[in-house]
Amino acid sequence: MTPRAADRARYDRATAHLDAPLAIVDLEAFDANADDMVRRAAGKPIRVASKSVRCRALLERVLARPGFAGIMSFTLAESLWLARAGFEDVLLAYPSADRARFAELTSDPKLAEAVTVMVDDPAQLDLVDGAREGEGLEVRVCLELDTSLQLFGGRVRVGARRSPLRTPAQLAELARAVVRRPGFRLVGLMAYEGHVAGVGDAVAGSPLRSRAIRLMQSAARRELAARRAEVVRAVRAVAPDLEFVNGGGTGSVQHTAAEAAVTEIAAGSGLYVPRLFDNYTSFSGRPAALFAQPVVRRPGVGAVTVLGGGYPASGAPGADRLPVPYLPEGLRYDGQEGAGEVQTPLLGSAADDLLIGDKVWFRHAKAGELCERFAHLSLVEGDRVTATVPTYRGEGQTFL
C-alpha cells in the first residue's frame, strides 16, 4: 500500500460515519508542517496569515506552538472580530476603506491596542480621521514596501502590484507624515515578496520554466534584500521604536529569515499545503487539508460522477486554480466538463473500484479559500475524527 493509499484508508475510516461533502484537516500533518516552518524560520517568529487558515480553532492551535506569534489578517472587519475574540496582535495586511470599522477601531481601547492597519498613501490616513468620533484613539500603523522586481528601467515587472512605495526616500517620507500626524503611531513595516514566496520553482514536466523561475527568484531575493535593508534604515531613522519588520511567505521562509533587517516572517499556506505549494525546491510539506465529494453516478467504464467540486481558487484563471482529485490515485477530470458546479465527472481506472456513496478526496489549489465552501472542518487524528470546528463561514463570517 502506498503512503497515499494508506492516508485514503485512514480518512475513509475516520469519516465513515459522516456524509460527504465534507472537509478535513489532518492534525498530524498540520503540526508537522508547523514544525517545518519554525525550523526554516531559524528563531524568528512566524506571524500566521489568517486568510490561509480561516478557522479560529486552528489559528489558536498554531499560535499556541513555540515559534508563532501574531496574526496577519485580510480585512478590517476580520481584524476587529479576531481582536474581540481575544487575539491580541493582529496586523491587517491590506489597506482598508471601511469607515464604519475605522470608527469602531478608534473608539474601543482594546481594538486600538490589538490591531495595526496597513498604509501606503496619506489618503488612507484621511479615511481614518474622517471616521473618528472626536479625537478618537491612537491608531497603530504599518507601512508597506513594494517588493516587485523591476528590470530594464521598470519596463519589465515581476511580482504583484501592491504598494506604490519602492524606495527608501518614499518610505521615509510617508513615515514622517505618519509620525507628525496626531492620532497615529508608526509601529511596523511590511514587504511581501509573493513572486518568491508564492511561486513554485520546480514545475513538474517543465525543466526550462523551472530554471527560469529559479533564476528570477534568485535575482529578486538579492535585489529585495539590499533594498529592504536600506528602507528599514531609512524608516528607523524616522521612527527608532519601530516594533517589527515583516516579510516572507510560505515559500521563502528561510530566505527571508536570513535577512538581518527582517524581525518576523509571515506564512500560513504551509500549514495546509494546498496543491499550489507542491512545486518548491525550498521545502516539502504534507497535505493537511482535504475535502471529500460523494460518488453519485457511475456513467460507464472508467468513469464516476461526484457531487459538486467546482471550487476554483482566486488568481489568474487556469487549470492550476482547480482542485485536484487526490484519493484514490489515478483519477482525472473529463476535459469536456472539468470541475462542475453541481456534478463533476472523473475518469481513470480507479473509477471502476468506486461505488455509489464512496468518497473521492480532493486538494484545493489555495489554502484558506477551501473554508469558504465548508461550514466545518473535521479534525482527524490517526483514523478518528476527534473534533469538528467551525470555519469562518461556519461562524457566519464572510469577510470577502
Side-chain angles (χ1 to χ4, degrees), residues 5 7 9 48 64 90 97 103 153 187 196 203 207 218 250 267 273 307 379:
D7 283 341
V48 183
V90 182
V187 299
V196 178
V203 183
S218 178
T250 289
V273 187
L307 181 71
L379 305 184

Side-chain angles (χ1 to χ4, degrees), residues 33-189:
N33 293 334
D35 288 342
D36 182 66
M37 291 163 66
V38 169
R39 176 189 62 79
R40 292 193 288 135
K44 292 189 176 177
I46 298 172
R47 184 180 291 273
V48 183
S50 63
K51 76 178 183 65
S52 300
V53 180
R54 302 194 202 197
C55 171
R56 278 202 300 158
L58 290 175
L59 288 172
E60 291 167 353
R61 182 184 183 92
V62 71
L63 286 170
R65 303 177 68 85
F68 291 87
I71 286 178
M72 177 176 281
S73 57
F74 60 95
T75 74
L76 183 56
E78 180 212 12
S79 304
L80 303 189
W81 180 68
L82 290 172
R84 288 189 173 109
F87 295 94
E88 298 178 347
D89 179 7
V90 182
L91 169 62
L92 175 57
Y94 307 89
S96 177
D98 190 337
R99 289 172 293 183
R101 279 9 185 273
F102 278 136
E104 295 178 35
L105 177 68
T106 56
S107 62
D108 186 319
K110 178 181 177 180
L111 300 181
E113 185 60 32
V115 176
T116 301
V117 302
M118 192 62 60
V119 169
D120 59 30
D121 190 305
Q124 294 152 355
L125 302 176
D126 296 338
L127 274 174
V128 179
D129 277 338
R132 294 180 191 269
E133 296 179 3
E135 292 186 3
L137 297 167
E138 188 175 62
V139 174
R140 293 167 55 86
V141 170
C142 178
L143 307 183
E144 181 170 4
L145 165 68
D146 175 67
T147 66
S148 63
L149 177 64
Q150 296 192 8
L151 305 171
F152 306 109
R155 293 190 296 274
V156 175
R157 175 193 182 100
V158 181
R161 296 183 182 274
R162 290 177 64 110
S163 171
L165 307 175
R166 285 189 55 81
T167 68
Q170 289 173 324
L171 271 294
E173 181 181 1
L174 185 54
R176 285 190 289 270
V178 174
V179 168
R180 288 196 295 256
R181 192 156 176 165
F184 296 93
R185 183 168 81 226
L186 180 56
V187 299
L189 177 69

Side-chain angles (χ1 to χ4, degrees), residues 231-243:
V231 166
V232 171
R233 283 193 294 270
V235 173
R236 286 196 184 278
V238 177
D241 297 328
L242 206 66
E243 296 175 13

